[in-house]
C-alpha cells in the first residue's frame, strides 16, 4: 500500500500529546469487543431471512394480477406450485409408452403425503399423439415453499425415471412447472454464494496486505456486519417489507464488498499513522478522524440513493431500498467500531511481517497512479475526449438489449424445468403451460366467459373451482404468453372483460409479467431522475462545489450506460436470451450509487490537497495518494458482485455481472482518467460557486499553507476549506 505524501511532513513535527479519543479507544477496545460478541450471539438466530418470491412481490398493489394472487392466497393458508410431468416420443406414442406414463403417474401418486405435500396428479393429457403430460401440485406455507418445491421435484424426477427407462429409448420425460423452476433456480440455498464471496475477499486482502494475520480483522468485521444486516432485514420482513431472493443475494455481496472497501480505507490510513505515532491508539485516533468524514459521506450517499427506491411501485424494488440501506449502515457501524477494537487489541503485530513503526515512513504516493495523472495532465482535453468516445462506443451495446420475462429464461443451461417447458411448447398450444386466471363475480360469470372466448388469440376457456367468492376460469392463449403478442392478447382480454364483466380480474403468470413490465416502465420515469438529483444534491453539499458535482454525476451516468452496454454484450456471449423488465433499475441504482461512492473519495482528497496548492497539483497528488487503495476497493467490490454469477438464476447473475463490469469500468477508467481530466480542463472553476480552496486559505490564514498541511495531512474528508 502507498502512503500519503504528507506523511514525511507530519513526521518532522513533535509527537502530539495523546488526546481524549486515543485514551477512549485504548480503554474501550475490550468493552466494544464484548458488546459485539453479545450482540452477535443474540442476533445470529434472527439472521435468517425468508424471501418472498410470490407473484405480487414484483408488482404494485393496484395491479390486477396482484389482486388475483392475493385472493387466491387468502382463500388458503398454503401456497401452491405446479409440478408438470411431460412425456414425448417424437416417433409417436406407442402402447408401451402409454403404459410407462400410467406407471409414472402411479409412482407420483404414491408420493402424495404430508412429507412432500403433493396433491394427486391429474389425468394424463394427450396432445398430438407424440406427447402426454399430467400435473400435481405442491402445497405448503410461503416460508417452506422453496424447500418443499425442491424436495417434491427431486422425488418426482426419481419416481418417473424408472418407468420411462423401462419403456425404451424413444420416450423422453421432463419435470417442469413453477415448482421445478423454483427447484432449479438455486436461490433456496445461497451458501455457495457466501462461500465464494468469502474466498474472494480473503484472497484480495492477502494480496493487498501481504500479511498472514491482517486480513482476519476486516473479515471478522464483515461477517459481523452481515449478521447485523440480516437480523435487521428479518425485522423488516416482519414489518411488512417485501424481501425477495434477489434482494437477499444482493444484501450478501453488498455487505461483503462495501465492508471490505471501508476496511481497506481505514486500515490504509491507520498504517500510515503507525509510521508516525508512538502508540497504536494515537494512530487509530488520527486515522478515524481523517477517514470518518469520507466513509460517512460515502455511506450517506449510497443510503440516500437506495432509499429513493421507496418511490418504486414494484414491491420488490420498493423493499430493496431499506434492505440495501440497512446493509450499508451495518457495514459502517461494524468497520468503525469492531475493526478498530480488533486492531488495537493486537497492536502493530497484526501487520507482521511488514510492521509499520515510527521513523520508517512509506513511499510518497503511488508511482503508477502518479504516472497516470502526469500523462493525463499533459493533454486533459484530448484524454477526456478519447474517454468519452470509448464510453460512448460501449453504449452501442444497448442496441442488443432485449426484455425476456419468460420463466424458463431465468434458469441457466438445460435444467429439467427448461427442457420440460420446451417439450410442452413443442406439442401443446403456446399458452398451455402458462394459462391466465380470470376471477369474476358469480353474477357476471356467463358474460365474462363469452367475452373471453371471443377475445383475440384465446385458444380455450375452461371454468374452474370458485376461489374466495369469485367464479374462476382458466384461459389458454394460442400465442407465446410471455412475448409481445401474448401481452397484446392480455391487454385485449382485459379490455373486453372491462366492458362485459367490470368486476373481472385477469391474473396468472403471463399477466404478472405483463404488469411487472408496466410497473418497471413507470418506475424508471420516476427513479432515474430522482436518484440522479438526490446524488447530485448530496455531493454538492459534501464537496461544496456544484460544477465538480455535476461532473461527477455526469461521468457516473455515462459510465452506467457504457457498463450496461458492455454487460449486454457479455450476456449475449453467455447465451442469456434477455433481461427481466425491472432489472435495469436494480443495476442503475447500484452503479450510480457505488460509482459516485469512489468519486467521493477521490474528489474529497483533491479538495483537501487544493487548500495549499493549485488544482493541477492537487489533482495529481490526490490521484497518486488514493489510487492504490481505491482501486483495490473497486476490485474487491467488483469481484464480490461477480460472485453472483455462480448462482444458476439468470437475473441474479445478470445483476452481478453488470455491477462488476460497471465498478471496474468506473474504477479503472472513469475515476482515474476521465474525472481527473475533467477537473484539469475546468481548473478552479470546478469549485464554483465556492472560491478555490487555496485562495480561501490564503485570505483567511495568511497563506500559512505548511501549518494547514500538517494539521490536515492526508485527510480523506470530502469537505474542503
Amino acid at each position: 500500500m502507498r502512503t500519503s505524501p504528507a506523511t514525511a511532513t507530519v513526521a518532522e513535527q513533535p509527537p502530539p500529546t495523546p488526546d481524549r479519543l486515543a485514551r477512549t479507544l485504548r480503554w474501550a477496545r475490550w468493552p466494544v469487543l464484548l458488546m459485539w460478541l453479545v450482540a452477535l450471539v443474540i442476533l445470529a438466530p434472527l439472521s435468517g431471512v425468508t424471501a418472498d418470491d410470490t407473484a405480487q412481490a414484483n408488482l404494485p398493489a393496484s395491479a390486477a394480477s396482484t389482486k388475483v394472487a392475493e385472493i387466491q392466497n387468502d382463500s388458503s393458508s398454503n401456497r401452491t406450485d405446479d409440478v408438470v410431468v411431460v412425456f414425448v416420443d417424437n416417433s409417436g406414442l406407442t402402447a408401451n409408452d402409454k403404459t410407462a406414463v400410467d406407471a409414472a403417474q402411479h409412482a407420483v401418486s404414491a408420493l402424495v403425503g404430508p412429507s412432500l405435500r403433493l396433491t394427486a396428479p391429474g389425468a394424463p393429457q394427450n396432445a398430438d399423439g407424440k406427447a402426454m403430460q399430467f400435473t400435481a401440485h405442491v402445497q405448503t406455507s410461503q416460508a417452506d415453499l422453496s424447500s418443499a418445491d425442491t424436495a417434491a421435484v427431486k422425488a418426482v424426477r426419481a419416481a418417473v425415471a424408472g418407468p420411462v427407462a423401462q419403456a425404451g429409448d424413444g420416450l423422453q420425460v421432463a419435470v417442469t412447472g413453477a415448482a421445478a423452476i423454483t427447484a432449479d433456480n438455486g436461490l433456496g440455498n445461497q451458501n455457495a454464494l457466501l462461500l465464494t464471496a468469502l474466498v474472494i475477499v480473503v484472497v484480495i486482502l492477502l494480496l493487498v496486505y501481504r500479511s498472514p494475520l491482517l486480513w482476519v480483522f476486516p473479515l471478522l468485521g464483515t461477517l459481523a456486519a452481515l449478521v447485523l444486516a440480516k437480523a435487521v432485514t428479518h425485522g423488516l420482513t416482519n414489518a411488512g417489507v417485501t424481501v425477495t431472493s434477489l434482494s437477499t443475494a444482493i444484501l450478501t455481496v453488498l455487505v461483503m464488498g462495501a465492508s471490505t472497501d471501508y476496511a481497506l480505507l481505514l486500515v490504509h490510513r491507520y498504517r500510515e499513522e503507525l509510521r508516525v505515532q508512538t502508540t497504536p491508539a494515537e494512530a487509530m485516533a488520527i486515522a478515524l478522524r481523517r477517514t470518518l468524514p469520507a466513509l460517512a459521506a460515502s455511506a450517506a450517499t449510497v443510503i440516500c440513493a437506495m432509499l429513493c427506491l421507496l418511490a418504486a411501485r414494484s414491491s420488490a424494488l420498493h423493499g430493496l431500498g431499506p434492505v440495501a440501506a440497512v446493509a450499508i449502515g451495518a457495514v459502517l457501524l461494524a468497520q468503525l467500531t469492531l475493526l478498530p477494537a480488533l486492531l488495537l487489541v493486537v497492536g502493530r503485530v497484526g501487520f507482521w511481517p511488514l510492521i509499520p513503526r515510527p521513523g520508517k515512513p512509506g513511499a510518497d504516493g503511488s508511482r503508477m497512479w502518479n504516472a497516470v495523472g502526469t500523462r493525463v495532465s499533459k493533454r486533459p482535453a484530448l484524454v477526456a475526449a478519447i474517454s468519452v468516445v470509448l464510453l460512448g462506443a460501449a453504449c452501442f451495446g444497448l442496441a442488443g438489449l432485449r426484455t425476456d420475462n419468460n420463466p424458463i429464461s431465468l434458469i441457466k443451461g438445460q435444467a429439467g424445468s427448461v427442457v420440460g417447458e420446451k417439450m410442452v411448447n413443442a406439442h401443446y398450444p403456446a399458452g398451455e403451460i402458462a394459462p391466465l386466471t380470470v376471477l369474476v363475480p358469480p353474477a357476471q360469470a356467463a358474460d365474462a366467459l363469452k367475452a373471453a372466448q371471443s377475445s383475440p388469440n384465446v385458444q380455450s376457456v375452461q371454468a374452474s373451482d370458485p376461489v374466495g367468492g369469485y367464479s374462476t376460469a382458466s384461459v389458454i392463449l394460442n400465442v407465446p404468453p410471455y412475448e409481445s403478442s401474448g401481452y397484446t392478447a392480455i391487454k385485449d382480454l382485459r379490455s373486453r372483460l372491462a366492458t362485459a364483466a367490470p368486476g373481472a380480474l385477469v391474473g396468472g403468470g403471463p399477466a404478472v409479467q405483463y404488469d411487472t413490465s408496466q410497473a418497471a416502465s413507470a418506475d424508471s420515469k420516476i427513479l432515474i431522475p430522482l436518484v440522479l438529483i438526490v446524488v447530485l444534491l448530496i455531493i454538492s453539499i459534501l464537496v461544496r462545489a456544484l460544477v465538480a458535482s455535476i461532473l461527477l454525476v455526469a461521468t457516473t451516468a455515462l459510465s452506467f450506460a457504457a457498463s450496461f452496454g458492455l454487460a449486454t454484450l457479455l450476456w449475449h456471449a453467455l447465451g442469456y436470451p434477455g433481461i427481466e423488465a425491472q432489472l435495469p433499475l436494480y443495476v442503475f441504482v447500484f452503479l450510480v450509487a457505488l460509482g459516485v461512492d469512489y468519486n467521493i473519495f477521490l474528489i474529497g482528497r483533491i479538495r483537501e490537497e487544493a487548500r495549499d496548492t493549485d488544482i493541477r497539483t492537487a489533482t495529481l497528488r490526490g490521484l497518486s495518494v488514493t489510487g492504490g487503495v481505491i482501486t483495490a476497493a473497486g476490485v474487491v467490490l467488483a469481484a464480490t458482485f461477480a460472485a453472483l454469477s455462480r448462482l444458476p438464476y439468470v437475473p441474479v447473475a445478470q445483476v452481478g455481472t453488470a455491477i462488476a463490469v460497471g465498478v471496474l469500468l468506473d474504477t479503472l477508467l472513469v475515476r482515474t482518467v476521465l474525472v481527473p481530466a475533467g477537473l484539469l480542463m475546468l481548473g478552479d472553476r470546478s469549485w464554483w460557486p465556492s472560491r478555490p480552496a487555496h485562495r480561501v486559505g490564503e485570505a483567511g490564514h495568511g497563506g500559512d499553507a505548511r501549518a494547514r498541511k500538517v494539521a490536515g495531512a492526508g485527510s480523506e474528508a470530502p469537505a474542503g476549506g
Side-chain angles (χ1 to χ4, degrees):
M1 301 292 291
R2 301 296 184 180
T3 62
S4 167
T7 302
T9 305
V10 176
E12 297 170 2
Q13 307 305 312
T17 302
D19 62 9
R20 182 177 300 177
L21 178 58
R23 293 194 298 270
T24 301
L25 289 171
R26 186 184 301 112
W27 169 84
R29 52 186 174 171
W30 288 110
V32 167
L33 290 179
L34 179 61
M35 285 189 292
W36 268 103
L37 180 61
V38 172
L40 293 176
V41 169
I42 295 173
L43 294 175
L46 304 175
S47 60
V49 180
T50 301
D52 180 3
D53 294 319
T54 57
Q56 55 266 45
N58 292 311
L59 296 170
S62 59
S65 53
T66 303
K67 296 177 181 178
V68 170
E70 289 174 346
I71 292 170
Q72 291 175 320
N73 290 341
D74 291 342
S75 65
S76 172
S77 59
N78 290 333
R79 278 282 316 281
T80 301
D81 273 350
D82 293 341
V83 180
V84 179
V85 184
V86 57
F87 306 83
V88 171
D89 189 331
N90 290 319
S91 61
L93 291 171
T94 65
N96 197 31
D97 291 337
K98 294 177 181 179
T99 300
V101 172
D102 289 339
Q105 184 186 15
H106 287 121
V108 173
S109 297
L111 299 173
V112 174
S115 59
L116 288 180
R117 301 167 188 173
L118 273 169
T119 63
Q125 301 176 18
N126 204 333
D128 53 5
K130 297 181 180 180
M132 296 182 72
Q133 65 168 326
F134 61 79
T135 302
H137 306 283
V138 182
Q139 292 184 334
T140 187
S141 65
Q142 170 60 34
D144 296 332
L145 186 62
S146 177
S147 58
D149 280 348
T150 301
V153 170
K154 182 178 180 180
V156 170
R157 285 173 173 164
V160 302
V164 171
Q166 294 177 4
D169 296 335
L171 186 63
Q172 306 171 51
V173 65
V175 179
T176 186
I181 291 174
T182 299
D184 291 340
N185 66 25
L187 291 177
N189 184 358
Q190 296 186 12
N191 291 334
L193 171 63
L194 178 59
L195 180 61
T196 301
L198 282 173
V199 170
I200 289 171
V201 168
V202 169
V203 169
I204 293 178
L205 288 178
L206 281 170
L207 292 175
V208 171
Y209 290 144
R210 290 170 290 173
S211 167
L213 301 175
L214 189 56
W215 63 271
V216 174
F217 310 116
L219 186 62
L220 290 175
T222 297
L223 294 176
L226 186 60
V227 171
L228 176 59
K230 287 191 172 183
V232 177
T233 300
H234 176 80
L236 292 176
T237 60
N238 292 337
V241 174
T242 299
V243 180
T244 65
S245 295
L246 178 57
S247 296
T248 58
I250 289 176
L251 168 68
T252 299
V253 296
L254 181 61
V255 169
M256 299 292 289
S259 186
T260 307
D261 283 2
Y262 289 6
L264 283 168
L265 291 166
L266 177 60
V267 174
H268 172 69
R269 187 52 190 260
Y270 175 53
R271 178 156 53 183
E272 285 186 16
E273 298 304 330
L274 284 173
R275 296 190 178 104
V276 179
Q277 307 303 325
T278 56
T279 68
E282 293 166 350
M284 182 60 72
I286 296 176
L288 284 173
R289 286 197 182 99
R290 297 296 182 240
T291 57
L292 177 58
L295 294 179
S298 165
T301 303
V302 178
I303 287 172
C304 290
M306 294 299 112
L307 291 180
C308 288
L309 294 177
L310 291 172
R313 296 175 59 197
S314 162
S315 298
L317 202 57
H318 183 278
L320 178 62
V323 169
V326 162
I328 295 299
V331 164
L332 187 67
L333 179 63
Q335 299 297 40
L336 290 182
T337 58
L338 178 57
L339 177 59
L342 290 168
L343 292 172
L344 289 176
V345 166
V346 298
R348 299 178 191 270
V349 176
F351 290 85
W352 183 87
L354 304 175
I355 299 177
R357 300 186 186 279
K360 295 181 180 180
D364 186 13
S366 165
R367 295 178 182 176
M368 183 182 75
W369 295 113
N370 185 61
V372 170
T374 301
R375 288 189 174 89
V376 170
S377 67
K378 291 179 179 179
R379 305 187 69 177
L382 177 61
V383 170
I386 293 174
S387 301
V388 170
V389 169
L390 291 175
L391 293 172
C395 293
F396 282 104
L398 292 171
L401 185 64
R402 177 176 175 267
T403 300
D404 188 343
N405 291 322
N406 191 329
I408 65 167
S409 299
L410 309 182
I411 309 297
K412 291 182 182 177
Q414 297 297 314
S417 55
V418 176
V419 173
E421 183 156 338
K422 290 179 179 178
M423 290 165 63
V424 172
N425 290 337
H427 298 278
Y428 290 84
E432 177 79 21
I433 202 167
L436 299 171
T437 300
V438 178
L439 302 184
V440 60
Q444 302 174 14
D447 292 335
L449 287 174
K450 291 179 182 178
Q453 289 169 343
S454 63
S455 186
N457 296 316
V458 169
Q459 174 75 20
S460 64
V461 180
Q462 183 176 359
S464 306
D465 295 334
V467 173
Y470 284 82
S471 296
T472 307
S474 179
V475 177
I476 296 177
L477 302 179
N478 58 18
V479 292
Y482 294 105
E483 297 183 6
S484 59
S485 57
Y487 291 164
T488 300
I490 293 170
K491 186 177 179 181
D492 291 340
L493 176 61
R494 284 176 170 172
S495 178
R496 287 176 180 262
L497 289 175
T499 301
L505 299 169
V506 178
V512 166
Q513 296 301 332
Y514 172 73
D515 290 337
T516 299
S517 299
Q518 298 301 302
S521 177
D523 285 342
S524 297
K525 296 174 183 177
I526 297 174
L527 290 177
I528 290 177
L530 178 62
V531 170
L532 291 176
I533 291 171
V534 167
V535 169
L536 177 61
L537 289 175
I538 294 173
I539 296 178
S540 298
I541 294 171
L542 293 174
V543 303
R544 305 174 192 175
L546 180 60
V547 172
S549 301
I550 292 174
L551 172 66
L552 295 183
V553 174
T555 54
T556 301
L558 178 59
S559 175
F560 159 73
S563 302
F564 210 63
L566 293 176
T568 300
L569 298 176
L570 177 60
W571 297 333
H572 281 300
L574 294 174
Y576 300 157
I579 186 171
E580 280 192 312
Q582 71 271 25
L583 285 193
L585 279 174
Y586 283 84
V587 177
F588 168 78
V589 172
F590 277 98
L591 281 185
V592 169
L594 297 174
V596 168
D597 196 33
Y598 291 136
N599 282 330
I600 286 176
F601 297 138
L602 174 63
I603 198 71
R605 187 56 183 257
I606 292 174
R607 181 70 167 169
E608 179 69 22
E609 298 289 346
R611 293 177 179 178
D612 308 321
T613 186
D614 61 276
I615 191 170
R616 181 185 183 279
T617 303
T619 299
L620 298 183
R621 188 178 297 163
L623 180 60
S624 173
V625 172
T626 64
V629 66
I630 296 180
T631 299
V635 170
V636 168
L637 191 63
T640 51
F641 268 96
L644 289 173
S645 63
R646 282 206 61 189
L647 294 178
Y649 193 53
V650 171
V652 174
Q654 289 175 322
V655 169
T657 53
I659 294 177
V661 168
V663 170
L664 287 176
L665 188 64
D666 185 81
T667 301
L668 301 177
L669 176 61
V670 177
R671 179 189 57 79
T672 54
V673 176
L674 182 56
V675 170
L679 292 173
L680 292 171
M681 288 173 58
L682 293 169
D684 284 338
R685 293 187 296 272
S686 301
W687 310 126
W688 187 89
S690 299
R691 295 174 62 187
H694 64 283
R695 294 180 185 174
V696 173
E698 291 167 2
H701 302 284
D704 189 4
R706 185 175 183 80
R708 292 193 307 278
K709 185 65 181 176
V710 172
S715 172
E716 306 277 3

